[in-house]
Amino acid sequence: MSREQLTVVGGGLVGAAIAYGAARSGVPVRMLDQGDTAFRASRGNFGLVWVSSKGGKMPRYARWTREAVTIWPEFHKELLELTGIDTGLQQPGGFWLGFSKEDVEAREDLLTRINCEVGGEIPFKMMEPSELRQFLPGLGSAVVGGSFCELDGHANPLMLLRALHAGLKEKGAEIISGVDVTEIRRDRSQFQIIGRDGQRWKSDRLVLAAGLGNANLAPQVGLEVPITTTRGQILITERLKPFLGFPTNKVRQTREGSVQIGSTSEDVGFNDETTTDKIEWLARRAVATFPALANARLLRAWGALRPLTADGYPVYQGSTSCPGAFIAICHSGVTLAAIHAFVLAPWMAGLTCAPPDLECFLGDRFRDPNASFFHDH
């Protein structure tokens, strides 16, 4: 087993999951976390563990996501037993709800195509409002139809992040917070990682999982990946009597009883503030979905920036010019956490070969939009 030092730059859900996956395999791990000053996407995650509709233009991503949600229960159990922290995983299935017949028809077409492309491994069922209400009492008349996928569920993003950090400590990993990495140099067979304040660390292997920070760091190790961002705003209500036993694409009720309402997708640069118009839009949409929410008190609203690639799909890639350096970018840090820990991390730590058919996730695809790795083989 490799005993090479692995340093992960980024302590959010993606970085922490990869770091934890390496540490649980016996690799010496250091995680450099920018901390609360970072544009932490984990803060704005809606918390869905969701496979339905994923991979409409990349079947490999649909299968990657399905594998992730399948191994999530094992991942949840391991973290709970190791740390005592409950990630809040529930997988009763999930509902997508539509407000127009056109949207519902488009949804059915999309899900049918995805399910066919992956050999029937992502089943779904379309439902009329009367059938939906058997599962979702109190559903509003604005909902004209929806879909159900038995594989879907949800978790608590903040508790997941806490569990990963706690698990890393239990596995003996070194977590250094308040670090703003600005420079990476290749020094013979090692990487030299330099912080804004002049701190330096050496490492045999390196994973860049710094979200938006990857835009500056990746070119320093020969990885060119265009990174954009969207702002997501989310609302949360007071704790309510349980009424919603399934997560939906518009609202979900947590185990504690509060209702999370989400989310927006806004092109606003690096502005992660909340705005009155979007808060009002989210609230109105939630009440149209479940009218009883009109009587609920809103307690909090927040915004967060999500890192995205140009096509919305992940990039997982090793550097050819700087062997041992890797990059990981995705916007589904909760859904993919288990596969990042159990499958991606051992590869990046040098313990296993690359997962099969990973070439479609290479950042090289952005150099040639017609390249074959946009599609499955």
Side-chain angles (χ1 to χ4, degrees):
M1 177 178 292
S2 169
R3 297 295 298 176
E4 290 183 313
Q5 170 77 50
L6 174 70
T7 297
V8 177
V9 180
L13 285 174
V14 176
I18 293 171
Y20 173 76
R24 71 187 287 275
S25 300
V27 173
V29 172
R30 174 194 299 121
M31 186 171 74
L32 302 178
D33 182 15
Q34 191 176 6
D36 290 338
T37 60
F39 286 115
R40 185 84 89 191
S42 314
R43 289 192 292 250
N45 198 303
F46 192 43
L48 297 179
V49 179
W50 207 255
V51 63
S52 182
S53 79
K54 298 289 185 70
K57 295 182 179 179
M58 188 185 283
R60 177 66 179 104
Y61 184 59
R63 293 199 299 271
W64 182 252
T65 304
R66 188 192 188 285
E67 184 178 350
V69 302
T70 301
I71 61 179
W72 236 105
E74 178 187 352
F75 179 58
H76 162 80
K77 181 181 178 183
E78 180 174 302
L79 287 174
L80 181 62
E81 291 177 349
L82 179 65
T83 69
I85 298 171
D86 188 346
T87 66
L89 176 68
Q90 299 177 74
Q91 290 179 293
F95 287 89
W96 174 93
L97 304 173
F99 287 158
S100 75
K101 290 193 177 296
E102 293 79 12
D103 286 347
V104 173
E105 290 172 358
R107 177 75 175 185
E108 183 173 13
D109 290 345
L110 173 64
L111 298 182
T112 299
R113 177 164 52 82
I114 292 172
N115 196 34
C116 289
E117 287 175 338
V118 300
E121 294 183 351
I122 304 178
F124 68 95
K125 183 178 181 181
M126 301 302 299
M127 296 185 186
E128 297 290 332
S130 59
E131 190 173 5
L132 289 169
R133 289 190 179 92
Q134 296 177 26
F135 300 91
L136 306 172
L139 193 66
S141 60
V143 177
V144 302
S147 63
F148 175 76
C149 179
E150 64 189 37
L151 301 173
D152 291 335
H154 54 153
N156 185 320
L158 298 181
M159 296 307 288
L160 170 59
L161 185 63
R162 182 180 167 195
L164 287 169
H165 280 239
L168 278 163
K169 291 178 181 177
E170 289 291 332
K171 293 297 183 181
E174 181 183 15
I175 301 175
I176 305 175
S177 297
V179 176
D180 185 8
V181 175
T182 57
E183 187 177 355
I184 299 168
R185 298 175 186 171
R186 179 78 171 176
D187 182 14
R188 295 177 184 170
S189 62
Q190 284 192 315
F191 295 96
Q192 188 171 122
I193 305 158
I194 304 170
R196 188 175 299 280
D197 60 359
Q199 287 182 287
R200 295 170 182 257
W201 300 270
K202 288 187 176 182
S203 188
D204 303 305
R205 302 179 77 86
L206 173 72
V207 175
L208 299 179
L212 297 174
N214 283 344
N216 174 58
L217 298 176
Q220 299 183 40
V221 292
L223 293 166
E224 296 286 348
V225 180
I227 302 173
T228 61
T229 183
T230 62
R231 179 175 66 191
Q233 296 188 52
I234 289 176
L235 315 180
I236 195 160
T237 73
E238 63 184 325
R239 295 184 180 186
L240 304 174
K241 182 179 178 180
F243 75 96
L244 186 55
F246 299 84
T248 79
N249 61 314
K250 294 177 172 63
V251 302
R252 69 180 189 92
Q253 189 168 28
T254 68
R255 226 178 237 174
E256 297 75 27
S258 57
V259 175
Q260 195 163 334
I261 299 169
S263 62
T264 65
S265 180
E266 308 163 65
D267 183 5
V268 292
F270 290 89
N271 182 347
D272 63 354
E273 297 177 354
T274 57
T275 60
T276 304
D277 61 329
K278 295 301 182 183
I279 290 174
E280 181 179 352
W281 178 78
L282 285 170
R284 287 185 182 278
R285 192 178 73 163
V287 171
T289 309
F290 292 101
L293 289 175
N295 300 316
R297 286 188 305 144
L298 286 177
L299 297 184
R300 284 193 300 143
W302 67 90
L305 299 181
R306 307 184 186 108
L308 289 173
T309 63
D311 60 7
Y313 293 112
V315 168
Y316 309 122
Q317 186 166 350
S319 174
T320 55
S321 61
C322 296
F326 297 82
I327 189 169
I329 305 170
C330 85
H331 71 281
S332 295
V334 172
T335 294
L336 299 176
I339 203 167
H340 286 165
F342 288 175
V343 177
L344 199 67
W347 167 55
M348 292 182 169
L351 304 179
T352 64
C353 296
D357 301 323
L358 202 71
E359 63 270 13
C360 65
F361 296 134
L362 297 179
D364 298 349
R365 67 184 185 264
F366 300 112
R367 296 179 185 175
D368 178 6
N370 298 311
S372 60
F373 37 71
F374 253 113
H375 309 284
D376 264 23
H377 300 280

